[in-house]
Amino acid sequence: MKAEETRQVTTLTEELARNADGAAMGAEAGVMTRLRTKAELERGGGLMEAVCERGNLMLAYQRVVENKGAAGVDGVGVSEFKDHLRQHWPTIKAKLLDGDYVPQPVRRVDIPKPQGGVRTLGIPTVTDRLIQQALHQVLSPIFEEGFSASSYGFRPGRNAHQAVKAAKQYVAEGRRVVVDMDLEKFFDRVNHDLLMEKLSKKIDDRRVHRLIRRYLEAGMMAEGIVSPRTEGTPQGGPLSPLLSNILLTELDRELERRGHAFCRYADDCNIYVKSKVAGERVMASLTRFLSDTLKLTVNVAKSAVAHPWERKFLGYGMTWHKAPRLRVASASLKRLEDKIREVLKGARGRSLLKVIDTINPILRGWTAYFKLAETKRVMEKMDGWIRHKLRCMMWRQWKRPHARARNLMKAGLMEERAWRSACNQRGPWWNSGASHMNHAFPKVYFDRLGLVSILDTVRRLQCIQ
């Protein structure tokens, strides 16, 4: 029996590896490309059997491998995971089906927040990420039908762009006051008993129930010491976003019951009303509701009742016009500037082409997210600032007046102007923004080198859309 199980898992991991490389085969390919429906789950017997079902595990494996990610406390990375599975999966599967599997602690990682402070992540082992992903794929169809239409975070077919568009529509309809609610350390404060009570209403399989409880209570390891957890569902695992939506659905239903227009993306919730008085009343009543019903605390310092153009939502802001236009929030622009500065900080000894190849993926990702922005001036300004930084890098690399004059003449400047510019005794930042560098290395020069233009890319994406 053991030999047969080992043979099956060897075949499974080999198929998973081939599928991750893009070679899906035959009838099983259809299983790997979609989640099972709720009706299929109900016909298939116990939920844990559905979690451990071959097609579900193949899809989970594919997604875990594609997401890559760091190793957990056991030190096993994605590259070694196939061999690890081949050796240990029969035992793990038996424990899952018997309801005896105990997850390993998560590895604590603190990352700085843009507004200050740190965000604590709990990185599960790759094995636990596989099991959590398999759980997520089975539980998501069961709970999805009960989620609110105004909830956009971490749900199939929904995204941040839809939330931002809905918020813009609410403001255009005359709701020109926003109740911007920030939940204080939400993922660290989730009440386990409350969450498990909500899960038990739709989960009959006690093995799944126990497994989720164990994931919630798995310790967190920092510097070799494991600390127990009695509350919270740390970010870092595939299951955490689904659990947060299950808990906060009660908030969504309360807002719908009151007839409010709102957008929620994970723990980021904005409610749109028509007056400041109404906004203050909503803020006070929801603060009490969250405290009494969900045992959650509103962060008073970061929450506010204000006009939408005074706040940001998912990185976007709005203009004050009657028909508001979306813009990039100033904090989002600053984060991009900081990323570019970080890349260019160590780029003095590298060629311009290599530096452009490094920053282009950053710019493509940024423009893909902010393609809804309707104000072009800030994008033109950001494009100009990036070219200014690259010209400054070039000026520094040339170092001596002779090299600077030679490169300016090579770029088309007259000899007299090139030498006057090279010997002007001004600093690199001034020279990189002066007319001689702009004339020698205009936008079209950087376009030929392949530098991504934020404004041009956003315009192209908007035309496609």
Side-chain angles (χ1 to χ4, degrees):
M1 181 68 181
K2 178 106 177 188
E4 176 63 18
E5 285 184 339
T6 305
R7 185 189 66 76
Q8 288 178 353
V9 79
T10 301
T11 305
L12 172 62
T13 51
E14 287 172 352
E15 288 181 8
L16 290 171
R18 287 201 300 273
N19 182 51
D21 292 334
M25 332 55 85
E28 299 233 332
V31 179
M32 293 184 288
T33 56
R34 66 175 179 86
L35 299 178
R36 299 172 70 178
T37 65
K38 184 181 177 183
E40 288 172 337
L41 289 170
E42 289 172 346
R43 288 196 301 269
L47 278 182
M48 188 59 80
E49 280 72 19
V51 170
C52 296
E53 188 259 332
R54 185 184 186 85
N56 187 57
L57 285 171
M58 292 174 76
L59 179 58
Y61 180 94
Q62 180 183 356
R63 290 184 175 175
V64 168
V65 170
E66 286 174 349
N67 290 336
K68 299 180 181 178
V73 295
D74 61 355
V76 177
V78 171
S79 58
E80 307 102 45
F81 187 44
K82 179 182 173 183
D83 293 334
H84 179 81
L85 260 188
R86 185 176 287 129
Q87 182 179 354
H88 296 286
W89 180 248
T91 304
I92 294 170
K93 180 179 179 181
K95 288 183 176 181
L96 286 170
L97 293 173
D98 291 341
D100 297 330
Y101 179 78
V102 178
Q104 295 191 63
V106 296
R107 182 168 62 86
R108 177 172 180 152
V109 176
D110 292 329
I111 59 173
K113 289 183 178 181
Q115 300 86 2
V118 295
R119 175 178 287 110
T120 299
L121 302 182
I123 308 299
T125 63
V126 186
T127 300
D128 283 324
R129 294 209 291 271
L130 173 70
I131 297 169
Q132 285 193 32
Q133 180 63 42
L135 270 171
H136 184 284
Q137 291 165 185
V138 169
L139 297 181
S140 184
I142 296 172
F143 287 94
E144 178 65 28
E145 65 179 10
F147 290 159
S148 168
S150 296
S151 168
Y152 296 91
F154 308 111
R155 294 178 59 191
R158 289 177 168 264
N159 55 50
H161 286 167
Q162 294 170 339
V164 170
K165 288 177 180 177
K168 176 188 172 185
Q169 183 61 34
Y170 290 144
V171 176
E173 290 170 356
R175 299 177 178 89
R176 296 175 70 80
V177 172
V178 60
V179 181
D180 186 353
M181 300 192 70
D182 183 272
L183 298 178
E184 187 171 3
K185 296 183 178 179
F186 167 72
F187 287 94
D188 298 331
R189 299 282 173 83
V190 169
N191 185 286
H192 290 175
D193 293 335
L194 200 59
L195 177 57
M196 294 310 300
E197 179 190 344
K198 297 183 182 306
L199 287 166
S200 64
K201 292 177 181 177
K202 291 196 173 184
I203 297 177
D204 296 329
D205 194 320
R206 291 185 177 275
R207 296 167 298 174
V208 173
H209 203 268
R210 281 198 301 269
L211 181 59
I212 294 174
R213 168 72 82 166
R214 286 169 182 164
Y215 273 121
L216 291 173
E217 295 177 350
M220 182 174 286
M221 180 179 285
E223 299 179 353
I225 300 173
V226 178
S227 304
R229 288 212 319 269
T230 57
E231 62 178 2
T233 169
Q235 299 175 78
L239 201 54
S240 181
L242 175 63
L243 297 180
S244 69
N245 275 334
I246 291 170
L247 183 66
L248 290 176
T249 292
E250 189 157 352
L251 170 63
D252 299 340
R253 294 307 175 204
E254 178 65 14
L255 290 169
E256 289 173 345
R257 186 184 67 79
R258 299 183 186 188
H260 289 310
F262 70 98
C263 299
R264 183 177 67 78
Y265 192 96
D267 60 331
D268 198 348
C269 184
N270 278 11
I271 304 108
Y272 296 88
V273 295
K274 294 188 176 181
S275 71
K276 280 253 180 135
V277 174
E280 297 288 355
R281 187 172 63 248
V282 169
M283 176 69 84
S285 63
L286 286 179
T287 300
R288 287 193 302 271
F289 172 82
L290 287 165
S291 177
D292 296 343
T293 307
L294 298 180
K295 313 301 180 189
L296 297 171
T297 305
V298 173
N299 188 329
V300 178
K302 294 184 179 179
S303 302
V305 177
H307 294 296
W309 49 91
E310 297 170 342
R311 307 291 293 180
K312 64 181 178 67
F313 181 50
L314 301 178
Y316 281 86
M318 292 187 204
T319 65
W320 53 267
H321 301 89
K322 187 172 181 180
R325 287 179 291 171
L326 294 174
R327 60 178 178 80
V328 182
S330 55
S332 304
L333 291 167
K334 185 179 184 305
R335 281 200 292 275
L336 177 61
E337 287 180 358
D338 291 343
K339 275 188 180 180
I340 300 298
R341 283 194 183 98
E342 192 65 31
V343 170
L344 296 181
K345 195 180 289 183
R348 292 185 186 179
R350 298 163 63 191
S351 71
L352 181 61
L353 276 173
K354 287 185 177 178
V355 173
I356 288 174
D357 286 343
T358 303
I359 65 175
N360 270 349
I362 298 172
L363 298 177
R364 286 193 190 98
W366 194 88
T367 52
Y369 183 75
F370 288 104
K371 65 183 179 181
L372 300 182
E374 299 167 286
T375 52
K376 73 172 187 175
R377 186 177 301 173
V378 292
M379 297 185 187
E380 282 180 326
K381 188 176 178 182
M382 182 60 73
D383 277 335
W385 179 81
I386 292 169
R387 291 193 296 270
H388 193 163
K389 292 290 287 185
L390 292 174
R391 292 188 194 105
C392 185
M393 184 193 77
M394 294 162 65
W395 188 265
R396 288 178 185 276
Q397 287 178 341
W398 295 337
K399 293 183 180 178
R400 299 181 181 279
H402 179 77
R404 289 168 176 169
R406 186 179 69 248
N407 280 292
L408 288 172
M409 286 187 285
K410 194 186 295 184
L413 260 63
M414 299 294 291
E415 182 178 1
E416 185 271 335
R417 187 184 180 192
W419 276 105
R420 190 172 70 247
S421 301
C423 301
N424 63 20
Q425 302 297 312
R426 298 271 195 164
W429 186 249
W430 185 91
N431 273 289
S432 57
S435 61
H436 52 270
M437 283 293 281
N438 278 280
H439 180 79
F441 304 99
K443 178 181 181 299
V444 66
Y445 171 80
F446 292 99
D447 289 343
R448 283 199 300 268
L449 293 180
L451 177 67
V452 170
S453 165
I454 293 174
L455 180 61
D456 293 348
T457 306
V458 166
R459 281 176 169 168
R460 187 169 65 251
L461 290 173
Q462 288 176 344
C463 287
I464 294 170
Q465 190 177 7

Short mmCIF file of all heavy atoms in Angstrom, two decimals, residues 344-375:
data_model
loop_
_atom_site.label_atom_id
_atom_site.label_comp_id
_atom_site.label_asym_id
_atom_site.label_seq_id
_atom_site.Cartn_x
_atom_site.Cartn_y
_atom_site.Cartn_z
N LEU A 344 18.69 53.63 -8.70
CA LEU A 344 19.75 54.47 -9.27
C LEU A 344 20.88 54.73 -8.28
O LEU A 344 21.96 55.17 -8.67
CB LEU A 344 19.16 55.80 -9.74
CG LEU A 344 18.14 55.71 -10.89
CD1 LEU A 344 17.66 57.10 -11.29
CD2 LEU A 344 18.75 55.01 -12.09
N LYS A 345 20.64 54.44 -7.01
CA LYS A 345 21.65 54.71 -5.99
C LYS A 345 22.93 53.93 -6.26
O LYS A 345 24.04 54.45 -6.08
CB LYS A 345 21.11 54.34 -4.60
CG LYS A 345 21.92 54.90 -3.45
CD LYS A 345 21.31 54.48 -2.11
CE LYS A 345 20.02 55.21 -1.86
NZ LYS A 345 19.43 54.88 -0.53
N GLY A 346 22.78 52.69 -6.70
CA GLY A 346 23.96 51.88 -6.98
C GLY A 346 24.23 51.69 -8.45
O GLY A 346 24.84 50.70 -8.85
N ALA A 347 23.79 52.64 -9.28
CA ALA A 347 23.88 52.45 -10.74
C ALA A 347 25.00 53.25 -11.39
O ALA A 347 25.09 53.27 -12.62
CB ALA A 347 22.54 52.82 -11.38
N ARG A 348 25.84 53.90 -10.62
CA ARG A 348 26.82 54.80 -11.23
C ARG A 348 27.82 54.06 -12.13
O ARG A 348 28.33 54.61 -13.08
CB ARG A 348 27.57 55.57 -10.15
CG ARG A 348 26.68 56.55 -9.40
CD ARG A 348 27.47 57.39 -8.42
NE ARG A 348 26.60 58.22 -7.61
CZ ARG A 348 27.00 59.03 -6.67
NH1 ARG A 348 28.29 59.12 -6.38
NH2 ARG A 348 26.15 59.77 -5.97
N GLY A 349 28.13 52.82 -11.79
CA GLY A 349 29.11 52.09 -12.60
C GLY A 349 28.50 51.25 -13.71
O GLY A 349 29.21 50.52 -14.39
N ARG A 350 27.19 51.35 -13.89
CA ARG A 350 26.51 50.52 -14.88
C ARG A 350 26.14 51.33 -16.12
O ARG A 350 25.98 52.55 -16.05
CB ARG A 350 25.25 49.91 -14.26
CG ARG A 350 25.55 49.00 -13.09
CD ARG A 350 24.32 48.74 -12.25
NE ARG A 350 23.28 48.05 -12.99
CZ ARG A 350 22.04 47.90 -12.56
NH1 ARG A 350 21.68 48.41 -11.39
NH2 ARG A 350 21.16 47.24 -13.28
N SER A 351 25.98 50.63 -17.22
CA SER A 351 25.62 51.31 -18.47
C SER A 351 24.17 51.78 -18.40
O SER A 351 23.35 51.22 -17.66
CB SER A 351 25.80 50.38 -19.66
OG SER A 351 24.80 49.37 -19.66
N LEU A 352 23.87 52.81 -19.20
CA LEU A 352 22.52 53.37 -19.23
C LEU A 352 21.50 52.31 -19.65
O LEU A 352 20.39 52.23 -19.09
CB LEU A 352 22.48 54.57 -20.17
CG LEU A 352 21.13 55.29 -20.31
CD1 LEU A 352 20.69 55.84 -18.96
CD2 LEU A 352 21.22 56.41 -21.33
N LEU A 353 21.86 51.47 -20.63
CA LEU A 353 20.93 50.44 -21.10
C LEU A 353 20.57 49.45 -19.99
O LEU A 353 19.42 49.05 -19.84
CB LEU A 353 21.54 49.69 -22.29
CG LEU A 353 21.38 50.34 -23.67
CD1 LEU A 353 22.18 49.57 -24.70
CD2 LEU A 353 19.91 50.41 -24.07
N LYS A 354 21.56 49.06 -19.18
CA LYS A 354 21.30 48.12 -18.09
C LYS A 354 20.42 48.75 -17.02
O LYS A 354 19.55 48.08 -16.45
CB LYS A 354 22.62 47.63 -17.49
CG LYS A 354 23.36 46.66 -18.39
CD LYS A 354 24.60 46.09 -17.71
CE LYS A 354 25.28 45.07 -18.62
NZ LYS A 354 26.53 44.54 -18.00
N VAL A 355 20.64 50.02 -16.74
CA VAL A 355 19.81 50.71 -15.76
C VAL A 355 18.37 50.80 -16.25
O VAL A 355 17.42 50.57 -15.50
CB VAL A 355 20.38 52.12 -15.46
CG1 VAL A 355 19.42 52.91 -14.57
CG2 VAL A 355 21.74 52.01 -14.79
N ILE A 356 18.19 51.10 -17.53
CA ILE A 356 16.84 51.18 -18.10
C ILE A 356 16.17 49.81 -18.04
O ILE A 356 14.98 49.70 -17.71
CB ILE A 356 16.90 51.71 -19.55
CG1 ILE A 356 17.24 53.21 -19.53
CG2 ILE A 356 15.58 51.48 -20.27
CD1 ILE A 356 17.46 53.82 -20.90
N ASP A 357 16.92 48.75 -18.33
CA ASP A 357 16.36 47.40 -18.23
C ASP A 357 15.92 47.07 -16.81
O ASP A 357 14.98 46.29 -16.61
CB ASP A 357 17.39 46.36 -18.70
CG ASP A 357 17.57 46.36 -20.21
OD1 ASP A 357 16.69 46.91 -20.90
OD2 ASP A 357 18.59 45.83 -20.69
N THR A 358 16.59 47.66 -15.82
CA THR A 358 16.25 47.41 -14.42
C THR A 358 14.99 48.14 -14.00
O THR A 358 14.15 47.60 -13.27
CB THR A 358 17.42 47.81 -13.50
OG1 THR A 358 18.60 47.10 -13.89
CG2 THR A 358 17.11 47.49 -12.04
N ILE A 359 14.85 49.40 -14.43
CA ILE A 359 13.70 50.19 -13.97
C ILE A 359 12.45 49.97 -14.82
O ILE A 359 11.33 50.26 -14.35
CB ILE A 359 14.03 51.70 -13.89
CG1 ILE A 359 14.32 52.28 -15.26
CG2 ILE A 359 15.17 51.95 -12.93
CD1 ILE A 359 14.52 53.78 -15.24
N ASN A 360 12.60 49.44 -16.03
CA ASN A 360 11.42 49.26 -16.89
C ASN A 360 10.35 48.35 -16.28
O ASN A 360 9.16 48.68 -16.35
CB ASN A 360 11.83 48.73 -18.26
CG ASN A 360 12.14 49.86 -19.24
OD1 ASN A 360 11.85 51.02 -18.97
ND2 ASN A 360 12.72 49.53 -20.37
N PRO A 361 10.70 47.19 -15.67
CA PRO A 361 9.65 46.38 -15.06
C PRO A 361 8.90 47.10 -13.95
O PRO A 361 7.69 46.92 -13.80
CB PRO A 361 10.43 45.17 -14.50
CG PRO A 361 11.67 45.10 -15.31
CD PRO A 361 12.01 46.51 -15.64
N ILE A 362 9.61 47.94 -13.20
CA ILE A 362 8.95 48.74 -12.16
C ILE A 362 7.93 49.68 -12.79
O ILE A 362 6.79 49.81 -12.33
CB ILE A 362 9.99 49.53 -11.34
CG1 ILE A 362 10.96 48.58 -10.64
CG2 ILE A 362 9.30 50.45 -10.33
CD1 ILE A 362 12.13 49.28 -9.98
N LEU A 363 8.34 50.36 -13.86
CA LEU A 363 7.46 51.33 -14.52
C LEU A 363 6.27 50.64 -15.20
O LEU A 363 5.15 51.16 -15.17
CB LEU A 363 8.26 52.14 -15.55
CG LEU A 363 9.41 52.99 -14.98
CD1 LEU A 363 10.16 53.68 -16.10
CD2 LEU A 363 8.88 54.03 -13.99
N ARG A 364 6.51 49.47 -15.79
CA ARG A 364 5.40 48.75 -16.45
C ARG A 364 4.35 48.33 -15.41
O ARG A 364 3.15 48.48 -15.64
CB ARG A 364 5.94 47.53 -17.19
CG ARG A 364 6.68 47.85 -18.46
CD ARG A 364 6.90 46.62 -19.31
NE ARG A 364 7.81 46.89 -20.40
CZ ARG A 364 9.11 46.61 -20.39
NH1 ARG A 364 9.64 46.02 -19.34
NH2 ARG A 364 9.87 46.90 -21.42
N GLY A 365 4.81 47.77 -14.29
CA GLY A 365 3.87 47.35 -13.25
C GLY A 365 3.09 48.52 -12.69
O GLY A 365 1.88 48.43 -12.44
N TRP A 366 3.78 49.65 -12.49
CA TRP A 366 3.14 50.84 -11.91
C TRP A 366 2.09 51.39 -12.87
O TRP A 366 0.97 51.72 -12.45
CB TRP A 366 4.22 51.88 -11.63
CG TRP A 366 3.78 53.01 -10.74
CD1 TRP A 366 3.80 53.06 -9.37
CD2 TRP A 366 3.25 54.28 -11.17
NE1 TRP A 366 3.31 54.25 -8.93
CE2 TRP A 366 2.97 55.03 -10.00
CE3 TRP A 366 2.99 54.84 -12.41
CZ2 TRP A 366 2.44 56.32 -10.05
CZ3 TRP A 366 2.46 56.12 -12.46
CH2 TRP A 366 2.19 56.84 -11.30
N THR A 367 2.44 51.49 -14.14
CA THR A 367 1.48 52.05 -15.11
C THR A 367 0.29 51.11 -15.33
O THR A 367 -0.83 51.56 -15.55
CB THR A 367 2.16 52.31 -16.47
OG1 THR A 367 2.85 51.13 -16.90
CG2 THR A 367 3.16 53.44 -16.37
N ALA A 368 0.53 49.79 -15.26
CA ALA A 368 -0.58 48.85 -15.42
C ALA A 368 -1.59 49.03 -14.29
O ALA A 368 -2.80 48.91 -14.52
CB ALA A 368 -0.06 47.41 -15.43
N TYR A 369 -1.12 49.33 -13.08
CA TYR A 369 -2.05 49.53 -11.97
C TYR A 369 -2.73 50.89 -12.06
O TYR A 369 -3.94 51.01 -11.81
CB TYR A 369 -1.33 49.39 -10.63
CG TYR A 369 -2.29 49.53 -9.46
CD1 TYR A 369 -3.15 48.49 -9.12
CD2 TYR A 369 -2.38 50.72 -8.74
CE1 TYR A 369 -4.06 48.63 -8.08
CE2 TYR A 369 -3.28 50.87 -7.70
CZ TYR A 369 -4.11 49.81 -7.37
OH TYR A 369 -5.03 49.96 -6.35
N PHE A 370 -1.99 51.93 -12.43
CA PHE A 370 -2.56 53.29 -12.43
C PHE A 370 -3.06 53.73 -13.80
O PHE A 370 -3.12 54.92 -14.10
CB PHE A 370 -1.52 54.28 -11.89
CG PHE A 370 -1.29 54.16 -10.42
CD1 PHE A 370 -0.17 53.54 -9.92
CD2 PHE A 370 -2.24 54.62 -9.52
CE1 PHE A 370 0.03 53.40 -8.55
CE2 PHE A 370 -2.06 54.49 -8.15
CZ PHE A 370 -0.92 53.88 -7.66
N LYS A 371 -3.45 52.76 -14.63
CA LYS A 371 -3.93 53.09 -15.97
C LYS A 371 -5.28 53.80 -15.95
O LYS A 371 -5.70 54.37 -16.96
CB LYS A 371 -4.04 51.83 -16.82
CG LYS A 371 -5.06 50.82 -16.33
CD LYS A 371 -5.05 49.57 -17.19
CE LYS A 371 -6.07 48.55 -16.69
NZ LYS A 371 -6.05 47.32 -17.51
N LEU A 372 -5.98 53.80 -14.81
CA LEU A 372 -7.27 54.49 -14.73
C LEU A 372 -7.12 56.00 -14.50
O LEU A 372 -8.09 56.74 -14.59
CB LEU A 372 -8.12 53.91 -13.58
CG LEU A 372 -8.48 52.42 -13.66
CD1 LEU A 372 -9.37 52.04 -12.48
CD2 LEU A 372 -9.18 52.09 -14.97
N ALA A 373 -5.91 56.45 -14.17
CA ALA A 373 -5.69 57.87 -13.87
C ALA A 373 -6.03 58.74 -15.07
O ALA A 373 -5.67 58.43 -16.21
CB ALA A 373 -4.25 58.10 -13.44
N GLU A 374 -6.72 59.85 -14.79
CA GLU A 374 -7.22 60.71 -15.86
C GLU A 374 -6.56 62.09 -15.86
O GLU A 374 -6.98 62.97 -16.60
CB GLU A 374 -8.73 60.88 -15.72
CG GLU A 374 -9.49 59.57 -15.81
CD GLU A 374 -10.94 59.67 -15.36
OE1 GLU A 374 -11.17 59.77 -14.14
OE2 GLU A 374 -11.83 59.65 -16.22
N THR A 375 -5.54 62.29 -15.05
CA THR A 375 -4.82 63.57 -15.02
C THR A 375 -3.41 63.32 -15.55
O THR A 375 -2.63 62.59 -14.93
CB THR A 375 -4.76 64.12 -13.59
OG1 THR A 375 -4.25 63.11 -12.71
CG2 THR A 375 -6.15 64.55 -13.11
#
